[in-house]
Amino acid sequence: MTGMEIFGAWIAVFLTLAIFSFLYKDNPFYKIAEHLFVGISAGYWAAIAFWNQIQPNLFGRLWPKVDGELSGLKAFWYGIYNFFGWFHSGIFPEGGIDKGHEIDIWYLIPFVLGMFMILRLWPKFGWLARWSMAYIVGLAAGLRLYGFLSSNIISQIKGSALPMFDSVGTSINSILIIIGTLTGLFYFFFSQEHTGIFGKISRVGIWFLMISFGASFGFAVMGRISLLIGRFYDLITYSSAEYFHASWWVLGLIIIGLGIMAFKEKASPESH
Amino acid sequence: MMKTLLDIIVKLGSVDRRVIFLIIALVVFLPLIFPVGLTIKPTDTTRRSFEAVDELKEGDNFLMSFEYGPSTKPEVNPMAVAVLNHAFRKNLRVYITCLWPDGQFMAQDVLAEVLPDYDKVYGEDYVLLGYRPGNEAVVKGIESNIKGLYTVDYANTLIDEIPMMQDVNSLSDIDMVFSFSAGYPGTVEWVQYGCDPAGVKLSTGVASIQVNEILPYENAGQVLGIIAGMPGAAEYETMIGKKGFGTSGMDAQSVAHLVIVLFIVLGNATYFIERKRSQKTY
């Protein structure tokens, strides 16, 4: 067991118990954990995205590793690269980025669109970010339309074409699925008032929807309990002598901290 | 007598929420310390997932995609461990991709846990391609040109230098995809942009919260099977005969569910009793 592993365990225990302390009430321990989570998540995501995509797949395509002498336009192009490399040789290593790409000047387009996004931070040129946003929205809409049309509409309609006269169990299942699908669709048809026969059919749809929400709630509870088991499992592991009883120490310190805060609050209620 | 009973129910149903938190904590904590060993019976969805992997032949290309992070690790990680064990036992060639940034570290954790039991060679038996940002665009990229998307693996080894990548160019060269998903992007994106267009078999292990969303795809045959949350993981562990974290958490899960159901019943009973009493008052 290395010192860093033990230190990591103490941090994990503190953050877990700090989050749990919210169940008692909002307090500074919870706030620390919450702010750390938001900040680290954002920083972590940005770093991962940069080193997994922007550096290898964007810069790596604009300035791939080249061998031999450079001349003309290529020399000028790699001159710009060397200028960037002067600032940070980790991102722009000498001789180009070796990620298995050939030079592809078309990647200047995403590079420029990416720069436009950053210009949002500069109000005078913020409007340029709209071009990048337009591209993202257009691309996402096109890509999603195809996916939804094929997998969520056509395949789902095919999937609801079920055998009606099979074994008793299968037939009952098929009838239930067909009734549920049709009445559910009726409920979401808002061009007509939900009264009379139409209202009764859509009411059956509501029942199916409620059963579905109930199932979702059940799964949500199951998921949350699983996560709680995961945290408890770690707390039990970290309470061992190997980790210097981290769980017990941190639990004690947090309880003392909360106790002091409650005492101070009681002593001067007007300040809270 | 009846009035006393109703008073007790009302009192139990209106306890401070912190008492309920404490009780839930206890019923989860105690079975972890003193396991009961309740029976685990595989459900049909888990069985279908198992059978889909089991039907693959030795040397088939099997893609595992990691779409979860530390927040859902207790649920999804045990399934990934169980399925990777199954894949290695069957000598499948395992390709690992990640749609979530943390997925790469989850994949590394799973490999570190499973690899010591097998004699597998990196690049020949399994490869970790790593994370690429882009959500559904990444799935689309894998579907059309995997080498265009992944020019290097997670450790920056050139893809052309990895032996098991020589004959894999797109998703149609993969025999089956197994997505471990806890949200977006995840299994839904694999259905829509990967496996449906390429006609490749897909099975999945998902966090409980996502099960209802995936069930229609399973009913329509777009997904072969679903491992649903921690209970699903425990069932898969039972089927491969290798108990793990999923199984060890099932006692706590079962007892906690019973207590939650009891609280829901009590809460509702209190609501109806109090409503009836207030109606009588007016």
Side-chain angles (χ1 to χ4, degrees):
Chain A
M1 191 68 57
T2 64
M4 276 312 285
E5 281 174 315
I6 294 167
F7 179 68
W10 277 72
I11 295 285
V13 167
F14 170 73
L15 293 175
T16 303
L17 294 175
I19 292 288
F20 281 166
S21 70
F22 184 76
L23 297 175
Y24 168 64
K25 67 178 192 174
D26 201 358
N27 65 77
F29 293 120
Y30 173 76
K31 285 266 191 296
I32 291 170
E34 188 187 31
H35 291 137
L36 274 175
F37 177 75
V38 172
I40 289 174
S41 299
Y44 174 74
W45 183 87
I48 288 279
F50 183 81
W51 287 105
N52 279 281
Q53 188 74 329
I54 295 172
Q55 199 263 356
N57 287 337
L58 179 60
F59 296 156
R61 280 182 163 100
L62 290 173
W63 293 287
K65 192 171 175 60
V66 280
D67 299 316
E69 281 290 304
L70 298 172
S71 59
L73 202 60
K74 217 170 181 178
F76 170 71
W77 184 238
Y78 275 85
I80 298 170
Y81 175 82
N82 290 333
F83 174 72
F84 289 142
W86 185 75
F87 287 103
H88 201 296
S89 59
I91 300 171
F92 304 101
E94 204 181 330
I97 298 166
D98 187 16
K99 302 290 178 184
H101 296 299
E102 295 292 317
I103 192 162
D104 193 340
I105 220 73
W106 283 106
Y107 276 76
L108 271 175
I109 297 170
F111 179 69
V112 170
L113 288 171
M115 296 308 289
F116 283 179
M117 285 291 269
I118 295 171
L119 287 177
R120 276 183 84 93
L121 300 171
W122 197 0
K124 199 176 172 187
F125 295 102
W127 60 274
L128 282 165
R130 290 184 200 153
W131 285 96
S132 318
M133 288 306 292
Y135 173 78
I136 292 167
V137 170
L139 177 87
L143 200 60
R144 279 173 174 252
L145 179 75
Y146 161 77
F148 270 94
L149 198 66
S150 166
S151 301
N152 284 38
I153 299 179
I154 297 171
S155 297
Q156 286 295 307
I157 291 171
K158 273 188 198 167
S160 59
L162 298 161
M164 292 288 281
F165 304 104
D166 207 327
S167 64
V168 181
T170 313
S171 300
I172 293 171
N173 250 349
S174 305
I175 290 165
L176 275 175
I177 288 173
I178 287 163
I179 292 173
T181 307
L182 292 178
T183 54
L185 286 171
F186 264 84
Y187 173 72
F188 286 106
F189 188 75
F190 298 118
S191 300
Q192 195 179 326
E193 205 179 336
H194 289 194
T195 50
I197 295 277
F198 192 84
K200 279 175 184 154
I201 294 172
S202 68
R203 190 142 191 89
V204 177
I206 293 176
W207 278 100
F208 275 95
L209 288 172
M210 285 169 87
I211 291 167
S212 160
F213 296 150
S216 293
F217 175 74
F219 277 121
V221 170
M222 188 168 96
R224 299 299 173 248
I225 294 293
S226 301
L227 303 186
L228 186 63
I229 291 168
R231 293 323 305 142
F232 275 12
Y233 194 83
D234 282 351
L235 288 177
I236 292 167
T237 307
Y238 298 146
S239 66
S240 66
E242 211 178 353
Y243 293 95
F244 300 100
H245 310 288
S247 303
W248 295 117
W249 279 106
V250 177
L251 178 68
L253 289 171
I254 285 183
I255 289 174
I256 292 169
L258 288 174
I260 292 170
M261 278 174 233
F263 179 74
K264 279 187 172 173
E265 207 173 307
K266 211 172 180 183
S268 55
E270 69 281 358
S271 63
H272 299 276
Chain B
M1 176 70 184
M2 190 63 184
K3 191 182 173 299
T4 319
L5 185 69
L6 292 179
D7 284 344
I8 292 169
I9 291 174
V10 170
K11 216 162 209 175
L12 284 173
S14 48
V15 289
D16 190 292
R17 65 190 173 91
R18 282 170 283 205
V19 176
I20 298 174
F21 294 147
L22 198 68
I23 293 170
I24 295 291
L26 277 174
V27 297
V28 171
F29 186 75
L30 289 175
L32 289 177
I33 306 285
F34 310 107
V36 189
L38 295 169
T39 318
I40 296 162
K41 196 180 166 207
T43 52
D44 286 345
T45 53
T46 310
R47 192 181 297 280
R48 283 195 284 269
S49 264
F50 173 86
E51 283 165 1
V53 179
D54 212 49
E55 279 166 14
L56 294 172
K57 295 185 291 291
E58 187 174 326
D60 276 356
N61 294 335
F62 183 60
L63 190 145
M64 292 171 72
S65 189
F66 285 65
E67 288 102 44
Y68 67 96
S71 61
T72 41
K73 190 179 173 186
E75 276 203 283
V76 190
N77 214 59
M79 324 172 176
V81 170
V83 173
L84 187 61
N85 265 304
H86 195 187
F88 277 167
R89 277 185 198 174
K90 290 195 64 74
N91 291 319
L92 305 177
R93 295 207 300 177
V94 179
Y95 299 80
I96 300 174
T97 58
C98 315
L99 298 183
W100 285 28
D102 338 13
Q104 185 168 309
F105 301 101
M106 297 296 110
Q108 283 172 296
D109 275 1
V110 170
L111 283 168
E113 189 176 337
V114 176
L115 277 172
D117 295 340
Y118 302 90
D119 187 24
K120 298 289 175 187
V121 180
Y122 185 80
E124 289 176 19
D125 302 305
Y126 71 98
V127 64
L128 174 56
L129 295 170
Y131 163 71
R132 290 288 179 274
N135 306 332
E136 52 269 63
V138 174
V139 179
K140 193 78 197 131
I142 293 171
E143 192 261 319
S144 55
N145 179 10
I146 197 166
K147 284 181 181 165
L149 185 74
Y150 286 101
T151 51
V152 290
D153 71 353
Y154 84 106
N156 280 328
T157 310
L158 292 175
I159 223 73
D160 293 331
E161 292 171 6
I162 298 172
M164 65 189 283
M165 290 303 296
Q166 300 305 318
D167 53 351
V168 173
N169 296 303
S170 68
L171 196 62
S172 50
D173 297 317
I174 299 289
D175 296 288
M176 184 179 166
V177 175
F178 211 114
S179 157
F180 299 96
S181 162
Y184 170 82
T187 304
V188 175
E189 284 64 40
W190 275 107
V191 173
Q192 292 176 341
Y193 309 105
C195 297
D196 264 9
V200 173
K201 288 191 275 186
L202 170 69
S203 190
T204 183
V206 295
S208 306
I209 198 91
Q210 233 198 333
V211 178
N212 255 18
E213 189 186 2
I214 306 299
L215 273 172
Y217 295 116
E218 206 232 4
N219 282 337
Q222 293 160 283
V223 171
L224 296 177
I226 303 171
I227 307 178
M230 187 183 265
E235 290 162 15
Y236 207 100
E237 285 169 2
T238 308
M239 294 187 82
I240 62 163
K242 194 173 170 76
K243 287 185 179 175
F245 183 75
T247 309
S248 66
M250 276 318 290
D251 287 342
Q253 182 87 249
S254 307
V255 179
H257 280 199
L258 274 175
V259 174
I260 288 168
V261 169
L262 189 73
F263 277 123
I264 291 173
V265 172
L266 272 174
N268 278 282
T270 309
Y271 168 74
F272 284 113
I273 293 165
E274 284 186 334
R275 194 171 73 166
K276 207 171 178 185
R277 283 180 178 175
S278 66
Q279 278 168 353
K280 272 182 187 169
T281 316
Y282 295 106

